[in-house]
Amino acid sequence: MPLVCARSVLLLFATSVALVANLPPSCCAAHDITAILSGRRDIAEFSRELTATGLADDIDGRNTITVLAVDDARMAALKARGLSRETLRHVLSLHVLVDYYDDAKLHALPGGSADVSTLFQASGDAPGNAGMVEISDRRGGRVSFVPQDGGASAAVFYVKPVHQTPYNISVLQVSGVLSSPAAEAPASPEASSRIDAMDVMSKNGCGRFAGLVGSTAGAASAFDSHSHSTDGFTLFCPDDKAVEAFEPALKKLTADARLAVVLYHGVAGHFSLQGLRSHSHHHDYLKTLSSLDDKGNGTFDLMVLHDGDKATLMSETQNEARVTRTLADAYPVAVYMIDAVLVPFNSDEGSGRKDGGDGRQTSGAARGSAPWWPVRGWVASAALVFTLVAAFPSG
């Protein structure tokens, strides 16, 4: 009897562990700044620019953060200045403090003030202490924020809390845009000559895909980090017509599957058109940024085919996309337009279709609306439960 009882307890325990272990993995941090700001229409432009500059991903990737949000009227004045994307990113990164401050903490500063680092300082682009912000609790309970190199005239003031999750993320509305000579300084010649893949796509017929990159958590930051790497970066952007055709299938995808599709169009390493042709001659594969998990394990590949002076890409599911134009090619970044959306798995769950979502024929059985790899976890867990139970006698 004791053995039977122990066996039952072990079975329940092992089953519970298996179920918990196979819950959908979290692909994002504990907070989502875009979701937090979505309920505030008066700061919608601030939210959009956080996404467009890649700062939303940086914010979500940190456990402790404070965001100083600015309303649409102040953002309109900032955007009217026509700052470059990199400069705008620097300015907005001054509004992200790498520490937690809520309403109560602002009014209980030791000595009445505190110097706090921002994402501008953390990026390494800020000279000296230019990326630091001084918080001061002034007379009458007014709290000011002043960049170290901005001077007293650059002060903006705390208006009200927007969101507070101690001690994870706090969003505070402030009275204006933080001004800093260092943040607004023209980019270095090296940075200004670097290709901005998002701008290239937006201005050359890939605007829909650029929007998809910006709205998919984790995509913009992944592309941006690889475009700054020494190995370079190659991006294949489906034209607007191809993305529009794929949108019905896109809406069915989970967040993980959507990210996998977007990242499947990015390749680590700079490849000229001649380099792509060389890959096709040697039957080599391109390693994409799309992977089985958020640690980069089990990346999906693309095959390059060559027909005359044309290059064609073939996905894991054998749907094809032709390279139709070279939009930019200057080391370390190359951007090519393609005529179809590439997917590493079939995107129509239970439909019986065998195409990549745009009508192109593929091979292989349908794998559902999300990648097939989570099935592996269930099989492993079932095997674990069976092994543990079998280890005890039935007597």
Side-chain angles (χ1 to χ4, degrees):
M1 188 68 177
L3 284 177
V4 174
C5 182
R7 185 183 181 199
S8 299
V9 171
L10 181 59
L11 175 59
L12 289 172
F13 174 75
T15 303
S16 299
V17 170
L19 290 174
V20 172
N22 285 280
L23 287 174
S26 174
C27 67
C28 307
H31 47 258
D32 182 340
I33 186 60
T34 303
I36 290 171
L37 297 178
S38 63
R40 288 289 303 273
R41 295 184 179 180
D42 58 326
I43 50 179
E45 187 61 33
F46 180 78
S47 179
R48 280 193 290 269
E49 291 304 326
L50 289 183
T51 298
T53 57
L55 282 173
D57 291 330
D58 292 343
I59 292 169
D60 292 344
R62 288 180 173 265
N63 292 325
T64 305
I65 209 83
T66 299
V67 179
L68 307 179
V70 181
D71 66 27
D72 286 353
R74 274 74 177 183
M75 283 298 299
L78 175 64
K79 294 195 67 179
R81 297 172 58 189
L83 301 177
S84 69
R85 179 177 180 271
E86 188 70 15
T87 302
L88 182 60
R89 177 184 168 88
H90 287 167
V91 171
L92 293 182
S93 64
L94 270 177
H95 294 72
V96 185
L97 314 180
V98 292
D99 199 351
Y100 180 85
Y101 285 87
D102 57 16
D103 185 271
K105 189 174 179 180
L106 289 179
H107 293 99
L109 299 172
S113 66
D115 291 330
V116 188
S117 182
T118 68
L119 280 188
F120 183 38
Q121 178 73 25
S123 70
D125 294 330
N129 292 326
M132 303 290 290
V133 168
E134 181 184 36
I135 308 175
S136 299
D137 189 1
R138 302 191 177 190
R139 289 183 178 180
R142 299 187 76 196
V143 177
S144 66
F145 299 86
V146 184
Q148 287 281 15
D149 64 332
S153 62
V156 301
F157 294 89
Y158 169 55
V159 176
K160 60 184 176 181
V162 174
H163 175 89
Q164 296 177 162
T165 304
Y167 290 89
N168 185 231
I169 183 171
S170 173
V171 181
L172 310 172
Q173 184 171 345
V174 293
S175 62
V177 174
L178 289 168
S179 176
S180 164
E184 297 174 17
S188 66
E190 178 184 356
S192 61
S193 64
R194 186 185 296 123
I195 293 173
D196 187 325
M198 296 291 284
D199 281 349
V200 169
M201 289 192 293
S202 298
K203 297 175 181 178
N204 292 278
C206 289
R208 284 181 178 268
F209 187 71
L212 181 58
V213 173
S215 63
T216 302
S221 60
F223 286 169
D224 188 62
S225 63
H226 280 84
S227 67
H228 288 75
S229 71
T230 56
D231 293 332
F233 176 62
T234 301
L235 179 62
F236 300 101
C237 65
D239 59 38
D240 288 343
K241 184 178 179 180
V243 176
E244 183 179 10
F246 184 72
E247 282 177 351
L250 180 69
K251 293 177 181 178
K252 301 177 184 178
L253 299 181
T254 64
D256 286 348
R258 179 183 174 124
L259 178 61
V261 168
V262 174
L263 294 185
Y264 198 46
H265 294 78
V267 173
H270 171 263
F271 293 94
S272 64
L273 198 56
Q274 184 59 40
L276 292 176
R277 293 168 182 163
S278 176
H279 262 64
S280 68
H281 287 312
H282 293 90
H283 303 288
D284 290 334
Y285 291 86
L286 298 175
K287 296 289 185 183
T288 73
L289 304 188
S290 184
S291 61
L292 298 180
D293 58 34
D294 58 3
K295 296 180 181 178
N297 297 318
T299 55
F300 291 107
D301 298 336
L302 282 174
M303 178 183 286
V304 185
L305 307 177
H306 181 59
D307 181 16
D309 61 347
K310 302 294 184 181
T312 299
L313 306 175
M314 181 177 288
S315 74
E316 293 264 345
T317 52
Q318 298 185 19
N319 67 300
E320 297 180 357
R322 290 182 293 271
V323 176
T324 56
R325 287 176 59 193
T326 300
L327 301 186
D329 182 11
Y331 181 84
V333 177
V335 184
Y336 301 100
M337 178 184 284
I338 56 178
D339 63 355
V341 175
L342 294 162
V343 289
F345 50 84
N346 191 282
S347 60
D348 285 338
E349 181 176 14
S351 68
R353 287 181 54 184
K354 295 182 179 180
D355 61 68
D358 60 352
R360 297 246 179 135
Q361 191 72 21
T362 66
S363 65
R367 289 172 177 167
S369 64
W372 56 272
W373 54 86
V375 175
R376 297 177 179 176
W378 286 107
V379 173
S381 298
L384 172 63
V385 173
F386 178 80
T387 302
L388 290 173
V389 173
F392 282 81
S394 61

